Amino acid sequence: ILVDDICDSGGTLCNAAAALKEQGATAVSAYITHGVLSNNAVKRVEDSVMDELVICNTIRPTDADLKSKKLRVLSVAPLLGEAIRRIANNESVSKGRKK
């Protein structure tokens, strides 16, 4: 499992996935907060040994990128909605996180 805050061109992630597979990993998934996905990043992932790229919807992928079978997009809406609710009710935002 690879975790990072941002995926721009995807080159570093794809290289890391290849290195993990060379060392015996049977599957490699990357979990990224912000998928910038520039410069054919999704095609680079498609052509790589990476099994899955999971991003949040903080930056909307193109319609073409969304067709990728290796790309999964998770919504941050429930997290933001809960934070807004807690702020509006003068509740702690940090205590609302699940452990």
Side-chain angles (χ1 to χ4, degrees):
I1 295 174
L2 299 169
V3 178
D4 207 345
D5 61 342
I6 216 164
C7 174
D8 191 356
S9 67
T12 301
L13 283 176
C14 292
N15 290 338
L20 289 170
K21 290 271 183 136
E22 287 172 10
Q23 293 299 312
T26 57
V28 178
S29 296
Y31 291 81
I32 309 300
T33 304
H34 308 289
V36 176
L37 306 179
S38 65
N39 299 319
N40 297 311
V42 174
K43 179 170 180 1
R44 191 170 289 109
V45 169
E46 285 283 341
D47 295 341
S48 78
V49 298
M50 189 182 313
D51 296 284
E52 182 179 38
L53 174 61
V54 182
I55 63 172
C56 295
N57 66 345
T58 57
I59 301 171
R60 188 182 191 293
T62 66
D63 290 339
D65 288 345
L66 289 170
K67 293 178 183 174
S68 171
K69 292 182 180 181
K70 288 191 176 185
L71 180 66
R72 184 164 45 118
V73 181
L74 302 178
S75 176
V76 296
L79 180 66
L80 293 177
E82 179 63 12
I84 292 168
R85 185 194 69 74
R86 288 179 170 276
I87 291 167
N89 291 321
N90 292 319
E91 298 173 15
S92 170
V93 175
S94 61
K95 287 185 180 179
R97 297 185 332 210
K98 294 180 181 177
K99 293 182 181 183

